[in-house]
Amino acid sequence: MKQSVDVSSSRRKSRKAHFSAPSDLRRKIMSASLSKELREKHSVRSIPIRKDDEVLVVRGSYKGREGKIVQVYRRKWVIHVERVNREKANGASVPVGIHPSKVVVTKLHLDKDRKAILERKDRSKKTEAKQE
């Protein structure tokens, strides 16, 4: 059942909107879930990924690898993690792109903007407001 009249449920249009999304929307789409400890601490489930966060890869052949995010490549929908590389045929080492949904954030790089996001998304405050 279609929920909203304003949003198309067509697969074709959804895919077009996704893959031709501008950078500011890609940032939001490229979110990763937080680890259990961070989820308890901040009462937030997921957050848009950024450069100096530390993540743990939870899917794929690089599962279990942990490292700092070196680059968020919005154009290719991937992130590059510190020690997740592969050797090319000529011996050069290149970073392997990993989709943000396949990682868990273990340590957040907090600045004032990031703290404001966490403050705004804090679910414990929303439940307190409903109870009152």
Side-chain angles (χ1 to χ4, degrees), residues 3-80:
Q3 301 293 321
S4 175
V5 186
D6 301 325
V7 180
S8 173
S9 57
S10 161
R11 173 179 165 83
R12 178 187 190 176
K13 290 180 184 175
S14 295
R15 285 179 57 83
K16 185 176 190 331
H18 181 270
F19 290 109
S20 63
S23 185
D24 61 317
L25 291 180
R26 285 182 186 225
R27 176 182 167 274
K28 189 155 188 161
I29 295 168
M30 290 175 71
S31 293
S33 55
L34 298 180
S35 66
K36 288 207 166 59
E37 298 83 43
L38 288 175
R39 208 178 287 179
E40 289 288 317
K41 184 179 175 186
H42 299 291
S43 303
V44 173
R45 192 170 185 82
S46 66
I47 195 162
I49 210 89
R50 79 161 274 183
K51 191 175 173 183
D52 291 318
D53 290 343
E54 287 182 27
V55 295
L56 170 70
V57 181
V58 291
R59 287 284 180 275
S61 55
Y62 295 98
K63 182 177 182 176
R65 295 271 189 97
E66 203 164 354
K68 191 182 269 192
I69 294 176
V70 181
Q71 183 184 23
V72 178
Y73 207 149
R74 289 187 196 166
R75 190 178 200 176
K76 288 188 174 179
W77 299 96
V78 295
I79 57 171
H80 293 153

Side-chain angles (χ1 to χ4, degrees), residues 72-128:
V72 178
Y73 207 149
R74 289 187 196 166
R75 190 178 200 176
K76 288 188 174 179
W77 299 96
V78 295
I79 57 171
H80 293 153
V81 184
E82 210 169 33
R83 287 177 293 277
V84 180
N85 299 320
R86 69 184 299 246
E87 295 287 317
K88 280 173 52 172
N90 65 4
S93 180
V94 290
V96 174
I98 296 169
H99 195 273
S101 66
K102 307 301 176 199
V103 299
V104 167
V105 179
T106 54
K107 190 172 177 217
L108 287 167
H109 180 264
L110 290 174
D111 55 10
K112 65 180 175 67
D113 296 327
R114 211 80 185 289
K115 285 177 183 168
I117 292 169
L118 288 170
E119 197 74 26
R120 191 173 65 237
K121 287 185 80 172
D122 194 339
R123 295 173 76 158
S124 63
K125 290 181 181 175
K126 288 177 183 171
T127 54
E128 286 172 15

